[in-house]
């Protein structure tokens, strides 16, 4: 099997507030991809972090009457602390405000673009949304308001460094339309291509240091300006690898990686699929290979605002504390479509967890283990039919064996398409086939027949119990990237390597 070297990254949220469920979605998606690729033997580096230098952090700190550094330290810690409640397995977490790798890398990236002649000074006046940290053209506003924040932009006039984005339009269009830079889903790629075809305008790359209250990284050679978010925040994808500080990681995970995969949310797609590749082209660096775009969550029908907390119902830590990590991850992976926004409510999370994890899967595992205890003293019969060999099985088991055999390929295909629902559906087909199999075979009737002297029934009982335990144990392996906690409990429940199976216990207690 060919193994690959993959560098996976999430976007780094700015930390003017606490993490919400929308952040959790992207982190969990990246984590599943990372765990999946590690499991199939690929070399993986998965990274996340926080955008500490955003101007919004400065404004949020002023509103609270504390220093930007204090605000950023507090909130960034809350993001890093998602690791345990969400069972995240990222390899690196970069904080752009304090990580010593970051500033030298940003400066180097800026200087590389400057050396290409892509910066020029320009006096600029425009409608600026602080929430977006972006200037808008009048045509981009809705009734004069930012469509994202529903607030009126400020009129800002200042002199900034501008970046010659226009120079890269044709090249970007070609790279994206040829699939050299793959954007999934296809609808999002088409949006980017249409945006490029509509004409790219140069954009502002710096801010006056005074307006940024001195927060951020000064422009090399012009300390009156600080580097604006694009070089600073987007730069994290290479600064964390030591692009500016040396070491082998940059070469290993950027220039020599087979795939450089970036997960992004719909609102920041343009920056990742147009600005960032243009910066890399300007600097003469390789581009990402894949940009995977997720849509947004709403909570109880309300948009989760980037800048305000929507209360406990959107707090992933509170949700994990109340319902468990597996239930939170499962809702995000199983209910959120590949295209289209998804609405979260605690009731939906509970229903999804109870239907799938407690009923379909949890009952299957309990039943299989209980049957082995009842009829075989907890010892799994040693006739394990492999999923690769359905022909050896009695006809009742063939559909199940086939679903099991096809699952790994379907899971891999779903994940390659950034389609977590398709990947989890492949697993669920196995669960459903296994439950059908129990109803069809009725091991308890085979056991009665065996007691009455039917030796063939005894053999079929052995076969069915071995197939059920083998299936549950296989489900434990397939689920590991998605629900590491539950997967480990299932594998432990089906483990007879040290004697009889442990007594049956619910692997996923029902939620209320
Ligand atoms: Zn805005």
């Amino acid at each position: 099997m060919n193994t690959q070297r993959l560098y996976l990254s999430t976007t780094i949220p700015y930390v003017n507030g606490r993490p919400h469920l929308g952040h959790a979605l992207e982190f969990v998606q990246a984590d599943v991809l990372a765990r999946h690729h590690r499991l199939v033997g690929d070399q993986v580096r998965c990274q996340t972090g926080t955008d500490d230098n955003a101007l919004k952090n400065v404004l949020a700190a002023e509103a609270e009457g504390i220093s930007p550094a204090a605000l950023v330290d507090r909130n960034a810690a809350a993001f890093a602390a998602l690791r345990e409640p969400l069972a995240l397995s990222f390899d690196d977490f970069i904080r752009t405000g304090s990580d010593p790798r970051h500033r030298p890398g940003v400066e180097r990236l800026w200087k590389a673009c400057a050396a290409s002649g892509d910066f020029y000074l320009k006096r600029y006046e425009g409608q600026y949304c602080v929430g977006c940290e972006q200037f808008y053209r009048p045509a981009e506003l809705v009734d004069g308001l930012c469509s994202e924040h529903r607030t009126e932009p400020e009129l800002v006039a200042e002199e900034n460094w501008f970046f010659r984005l226009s120079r890269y339009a044709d090249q970007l269009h070609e790279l994206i339309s040829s699939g050299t830079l793959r954007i999934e889903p296809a609808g999002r790629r088409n949006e980017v291509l249409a945006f490029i075809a509509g004409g790219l305008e140069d954009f502002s790359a710096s801010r006056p240091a005074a307006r940024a209250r001195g927060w951020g990284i000064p422009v090399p050679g012009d300390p009156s300006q600080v580097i604006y978010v694009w070089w600073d925040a987007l730069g994290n994808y290479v600064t964390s690898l030591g692009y500016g500080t040396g070491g082998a990681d940059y070469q290993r995970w950027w220039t020599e990686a087979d795939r450089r995969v970036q997960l992004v949310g719909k609102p920041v797609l343009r920056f990742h699929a147009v600005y960032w590749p243009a910066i890399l082209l300007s600097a003469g660096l390789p581009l990402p290979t894949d940009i995977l775009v997720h849509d947004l969550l709403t909570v109880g029908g309300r948009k989760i605002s980037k800048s305000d907390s929507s209360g406990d119902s959107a707090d992933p830590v509170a949700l994990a504390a109340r319902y468990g990590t597996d239930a939170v991850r499962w809702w995000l992976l199983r209910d959120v479509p590949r295209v289209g926004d998804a609405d979260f409510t605690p009731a939906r999370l509970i229903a999804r967890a109870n239907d799938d994890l407690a009923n379909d899967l949890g009952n299957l595992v309990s039943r299989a283990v209980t049957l082995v205890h009842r009829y075989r003293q907890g010892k799994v019969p040693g006739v394990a039919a492999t999923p690769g060999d359905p022909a050896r099985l009695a006809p009742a088991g063939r559909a199940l064996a086939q679903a099991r055999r096809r699952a790994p390929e379907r899971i891999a295909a779903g994940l390659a398409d950034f389609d977590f629902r398709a990947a989890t559906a492949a697993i669920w087909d196995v669960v459903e086939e296994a439950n059908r199999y129990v109803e069809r075979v009725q091991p308890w009737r085979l056991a009665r027949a065996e007691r009455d002297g039917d030796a063939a029934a005894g053999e079929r009982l052995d076969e069915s119990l071995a197939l059920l335990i083998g299936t549950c144990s296989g489900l434990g392996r397939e689920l590991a990237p998605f629900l590491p906690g539950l997967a480990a409990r299932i594998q432990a429940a089906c483990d007879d390597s040290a004697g009889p199976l442990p007594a049956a216990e619910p692997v996923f207690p029902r939620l209320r």
Side-chain angles (χ1 to χ4, degrees):
M1 190 161 63
N2 289 331
T3 59
Q4 299 187 79
R5 194 182 295 163
L6 278 99
Y7 174 38
L8 284 162
S9 58
T10 72
T11 51
I12 53 170
Y14 43 74
V15 290
N16 61 338
R18 294 183 57 79
H20 57 60
L21 200 60
H23 300 117
L25 173 67
E26 190 171 307
F27 295 159
V28 168
Q29 289 177 331
D31 185 66
V32 172
L33 295 179
R35 287 177 185 271
H36 167 76
H37 283 285
R38 286 187 205 115
L39 208 60
V40 301
D42 289 333
Q43 299 171 60
V44 177
R45 181 189 173 101
C46 181
Q47 173 180 307
T48 185
T50 52
D51 173 10
D52 295 354
N53 294 337
L55 191 50
K56 287 173 71 152
N57 299 336
V58 178
L59 299 175
E62 277 182 0
E64 286 194 38
I66 59 177
S67 73
L71 177 112
V72 159
D73 282 345
R74 183 191 70 203
N75 289 347
F79 279 83
L82 290 174
R83 186 182 186 101
E84 197 201 338
L86 294 177
L88 304 176
S89 64
F90 46 80
D91 303 291
D92 197 359
F93 188 99
I94 184 168
R95 286 195 44 196
T96 60
S98 55
D99 195 306
R101 296 170 296 181
H102 188 62
R103 181 168 170 167
V106 172
E107 288 169 346
R108 185 175 169 196
L109 190 62
W110 179 280
K111 286 178 190 163
C113 296
S116 295
D118 284 333
F119 290 127
Y120 59 94
L121 267 176
K122 182 173 134 180
R123 192 171 168 74
Y124 188 76
E125 191 177 291
Q127 304 276 347
Y128 183 78
C129 174
V130 176
C132 298
E133 293 206 65
Q134 194 188 348
F135 284 102
Y136 283 108
R137 281 172 282 171
E140 292 176 303
L141 300 174
V142 177
D143 302 327
L145 305 179
C146 165
S147 63
E148 175 82 16
H149 294 94
R150 321 259 162 188
T151 52
E152 196 174 338
E154 302 169 27
L155 191 66
V156 170
E158 60 193 25
E159 192 173 62
N160 295 330
W161 290 98
F162 270 66
F163 176 72
R164 294 187 205 279
L165 179 65
S166 51
R167 190 186 248 192
Y168 296 99
D170 293 346
Q171 218 175 332
L172 285 173
H173 197 276
E174 164 58 25
L175 286 164
I176 293 167
S177 56
S178 68
T180 306
L181 171 51
R182 170 179 175 247
I183 299 174
E184 290 285 346
R188 298 288 166 231
R189 179 193 63 214
N190 295 338
E191 284 172 23
V192 171
L193 288 171
F195 175 73
I196 296 171
L200 295 183
E201 287 180 27
D202 297 349
F203 64 89
S204 165
S206 69
R207 294 286 179 267
R211 189 154 71 78
R213 322 289 199 269
W215 187 245
I217 301 173
V219 168
D222 181 4
S224 74
Q225 298 268 314
V226 292
I227 294 175
Y228 184 50
V229 64
W230 313 124
W231 277 259
D232 187 322
L234 297 171
N236 92 87
Y237 303 124
V238 292
T239 63
S240 63
L241 303 176
Y243 168 68
T245 47
D249 279 348
Y250 172 71
Q251 191 175 8
R252 177 172 170 75
W253 294 104
W254 194 264
T255 54
E256 289 178 4
D258 296 296
R259 290 170 64 199
R260 296 169 289 276
V261 181
Q262 307 206 303
L263 275 72
V264 312
K266 183 171 65 171
V268 294
L269 172 59
R270 184 184 300 183
F271 310 127
H272 282 80
V274 179
Y275 288 18
W276 173 231
I279 292 169
L280 292 169
L281 288 172
S282 171
L285 308 183
L287 304 193
T289 56
D290 301 76
I291 297 179
L292 307 177
V293 191
H294 62 81
D295 281 12
L296 295 184
L297 298 181
T298 53
V299 171
R302 279 181 310 126
K303 183 172 174 164
I304 309 180
S305 164
K306 282 199 279 184
S307 32
D308 79 346
S309 161
S310 301
D312 285 348
S313 64
D315 176 353
V317 177
L319 290 170
R322 176 145 187 205
Y323 303 112
T325 301
D326 293 318
V328 175
R329 284 176 69 112
W330 193 240
W331 186 82
L332 293 169
L333 296 166
R334 182 101 157 118
D335 266 14
V336 175
R338 181 168 182 261
V339 175
D341 296 344
D343 187 50
F344 173 83
T345 64
R348 289 194 177 116
L349 176 146
I350 292 170
R352 179 49 84 185
N354 284 342
D355 286 355
D356 287 356
L357 305 182
N359 294 351
D360 291 358
L361 176 60
N363 286 348
L364 172 69
V365 175
S366 298
R367 216 171 182 187
V369 172
T370 302
L371 289 169
V372 170
H373 275 288
R374 187 171 300 157
Y375 302 126
R376 293 295 182 260
Q377 295 80 48
K379 294 190 67 181
V380 184
V383 295
T386 67
D389 194 9
R392 269 189 49 215
L393 290 167
R398 285 181 195 156
L400 171 57
Q402 234 142 37
R404 277 181 67 187
R405 200 174 42 167
R406 291 185 53 216
E409 202 177 306
R410 290 178 59 202
I411 293 167
L415 294 180
D417 282 350
F418 201 48
D419 189 343
F420 295 92
R421 268 180 155 180
T424 51
I427 298 175
W428 232 252
D429 283 354
V430 176
V431 173
E432 286 171 352
E433 280 300 343
N435 280 317
R436 270 197 284 273
Y437 174 76
V438 177
E439 293 308 319
R440 217 177 283 147
V441 173
Q442 305 196 351
W444 46 93
R445 290 180 56 156
L446 294 173
R448 268 203 301 275
E450 182 186 37
R451 251 198 326 268
D452 295 343
D454 181 346
E459 278 174 30
R460 287 186 59 206
L461 180 60
D462 279 345
E463 178 190 281
S464 65
L465 296 178
L467 181 59
L468 281 172
I469 293 293
T471 298
C472 290
S473 178
L475 284 166
R477 282 191 300 276
E478 303 293 7
L479 272 172
F482 302 87
L483 304 176
L486 177 56
R489 292 198 297 281
I490 292 172
Q491 285 184 285
C494 301
D495 182 5
D496 69 340
S497 60
L501 294 179
E505 253 182 78
V507 288
F508 189 90
R510 271 186 84 75
L511 299 178
R512 286 162 222 293

